[in-house]
Amino acid sequence: RMGIAIAQAARDRGAQVTLVLGPTALEAPSGMNVIKITSTQDMLDACEKAFEQSDVWIMAAAPADYRPAEQHEHKIKKTKSELGQLQLEKTPDILGALEAMRSEQFIVGFAAETRDVLGYAREKLNRKNLDMIVANDISGKNTGFASPTNAVTILARDGSEQAIELAPKREIAEAILNRIQTLRMRALAPQPSVH
């Protein structure tokens, strides 16, 4: 919901938008390039293809951190009372891969957390070398993934923080885009020379 709201708000501001969209019951928006994916690997592949042509990259998704190490072609039948051990492996680090490809792109991440939201967001902002991160406490019934509303705190590389109170996700999207625009204008502004 949040990613779709951001994509729609950017489209309505005149941006050319590519939306990488995972499995959802929500309808894909019109007026933009929509790439539908089903796995974290699919997401990485789609993001890498679209990234070079982008000016701003907003990673509002919460891809799985782990996947089964072994995939079965067919359903595993109940033959014992226990399945045994399920081995998991890390999924690709999409933000890390994109940061390594970066030229001039402004990269925004999300930190969807249930505790120490701002602490984890600050750490991720620095570790992933992001320009901005949107910290989102997903533990509330009005701020989770399925909710039509959200409340976030926007943290920027310059140390600034902006809290956005509970509002519809479209309003949150507009606030996020406004903050990106302000930070990019500052970064792109000519610096005065000192003599």
Side-chain angles (χ1 to χ4, degrees):
R1 286 181 188 269
M2 194 72 247
I4 288 173
I6 293 168
Q8 290 171 322
R11 174 203 62 199
D12 293 350
R13 291 177 181 218
Q16 292 181 337
V17 177
T18 297
L19 174 63
V20 178
L21 186 63
T24 179
L26 300 172
E27 190 173 321
S30 61
M32 64 187 70
N33 178 29
V34 178
I35 303 170
K36 293 190 176 185
I37 54 98
T38 57
S39 71
T40 304
Q41 185 62 51
D42 292 344
M43 182 181 286
L44 174 63
D45 295 342
C47 289
E48 286 180 335
K49 285 179 187 166
F51 186 71
E52 287 183 7
Q53 291 80 37
S54 67
D55 296 314
V56 176
W57 195 264
I58 304 170
M59 196 69 183
D65 292 328
Y66 292 90
R67 64 182 172 212
E70 182 183 356
Q71 305 237 349
H72 296 271
E73 191 173 326
H74 302 285
K75 177 182 173 186
I76 301 172
K77 295 290 187 185
K78 291 181 191 173
T79 55
K80 302 179 195 173
S81 61
E82 293 181 17
L83 181 59
Q85 286 191 333
L86 177 63
Q87 296 294 321
L88 300 176
E89 63 186 10
K90 282 187 174 183
T91 57
D93 178 358
I94 298 172
L95 272 174
L98 298 178
E99 204 285 320
M101 295 172 59
R102 181 200 301 235
S103 54
E104 297 294 319
Q105 291 90 347
F106 186 95
I107 303 178
V108 180
F110 268 65
E113 303 290 347
T114 57
R115 62 185 172 85
D116 192 17
V117 177
L118 294 181
Y120 284 128
R122 284 185 197 100
E123 186 273 331
K124 186 175 181 179
L125 174 75
N126 294 322
R127 179 173 39 89
K128 302 280 188 178
N129 195 29
L130 304 174
D131 296 291
M132 191 176 104
I133 194 162
V134 180
N136 181 200
D137 182 347
I138 58 169
S139 64
K141 67 175 186 168
N142 295 323
T143 58
F145 294 121
S147 174
T149 57
N150 210 350
V152 301
T153 301
I154 300 170
L155 296 87
R157 186 183 291 178
D158 66 7
S160 63
E161 296 183 12
Q162 178 185 3
I164 312 292
E165 298 297 323
L166 188 68
K169 286 189 174 171
R170 176 59 187 250
E171 287 182 30
I172 301 290
E174 296 288 353
I176 291 168
L177 293 177
N178 289 342
R179 190 72 183 124
I180 291 169
Q181 186 174 11
T182 299
L183 291 169
R184 284 192 75 225
M185 286 175 59
R186 250 188 241 156
L188 298 173
Q191 302 299 314
S193 59
V194 177
H195 298 283

